[in-house]
Amino acid sequence: TGVGALYRYAVTRDEADFLAYQEAQRVPDADRRARLELSGPRKDQEVARLAFIEGGNHPDDAPVMVWSFLYLGRTPYFRRAIEIWTAADALRDELDAEAHALRALIRAGTRMGPALDSVLDRIAAVDARLTDAESDFSATLGAGARWTRGAITMGVSLTGLLLVLFGTVLIGRLGREQERALVLE
């Protein structure tokens, strides 16, 4: 979340630390763009794929992420993960507002004291809620991945069973037809 850079900025007042916070926001901002694109009316998969890559995801994973969002996004686990993701984006907006409040105070020459302490306390509170959301998101995606793996395993098993049954019926019919042909000779 870049919160460490904000704490450093409060102490050092070095603009490079604030820029490090902003740089840390590039990843979640890119992921947000992907989510918004896939949630919107256009659902431009290429725009979302590129945003996922900009968000630090491997280029080979980005198409799977787009597909998963579009086709698994309505399943309970993935729908819940998207809800958490959306809520986390709102928390990031809160964090960004507090970061800019901190920057304004520092640029105004405010020294350590109640005003800066208050902003830093609010930053810490938002960061704690973001950490909880990230943990919940990861746990939900993990459960969803296990559910998906189980569903795929069940589907493959059922398909295999159906093919065996179909093959058995077909072999039985062919055997009966061969017996009839031998009887008729």
Side-chain angles (χ1 to χ4, degrees):
T1 58
V3 170
L6 289 176
Y7 290 134
R8 279 192 309 278
Y9 179 61
V11 173
T12 67
R13 297 170 182 266
D14 183 349
E15 195 65 18
D17 289 324
F18 189 82
L19 295 176
Y21 158 75
Q22 288 182 314
E23 179 62 25
Q25 298 312 301
R26 280 185 348 100
V27 168
D29 288 345
D31 287 340
R32 177 194 307 221
R33 283 195 313 279
R35 179 183 56 77
L36 291 174
E37 183 62 41
L38 295 173
S39 298
R42 286 183 353 158
K43 297 181 184 3
D44 188 323
Q45 294 180 29
E46 182 61 11
V47 168
R49 185 186 72 79
L50 292 173
F52 278 132
I53 292 169
E54 185 182 336
N57 297 288
H58 192 280
D60 292 344
D61 296 337
V64 174
M65 294 172 75
V66 169
W67 183 91
S68 296
F69 189 99
L70 290 174
Y71 298 103
L72 298 177
R74 291 185 189 101
T75 63
Y77 291 108
F78 289 95
R79 185 177 58 242
R80 176 69 184 130
I82 292 167
E83 290 168 359
I84 295 166
W85 185 1
T86 302
D89 283 343
L91 290 171
R92 281 190 181 78
D93 291 341
E94 260 185 73
L95 177 63
D96 200 51
E98 296 302 339
H100 282 86
L102 174 66
R103 189 181 207 188
L105 287 172
I106 288 175
R107 284 184 166 175
T110 305
R111 294 283 161 216
M112 290 308 285
L116 278 175
D117 288 346
S118 177
V119 171
L120 291 172
D121 287 347
R122 290 192 306 268
I123 287 171
V126 172
D127 185 45
R129 291 180 9 233
L130 265 171
T131 299
D132 290 345
E134 290 166 354
S135 295
D136 195 17
F137 179 79
S138 294
T140 302
L141 275 185
R146 289 186 298 279
W147 175 84
T148 301
R149 186 175 48 243
I152 289 171
T153 300
M154 180 66 75
V156 168
S157 297
L158 288 175
T159 300
L161 180 62
L162 287 173
L163 287 173
V164 167
L165 289 172
F166 177 73
T168 303
V169 169
L170 183 62
I171 289 171
R173 274 195 181 162
L174 289 174
R176 284 190 299 277
E177 286 181 23
Q178 191 173 26
E179 285 176 4
R180 273 189 233 140
L182 288 174
V183 169
L184 293 176
E185 285 181 8

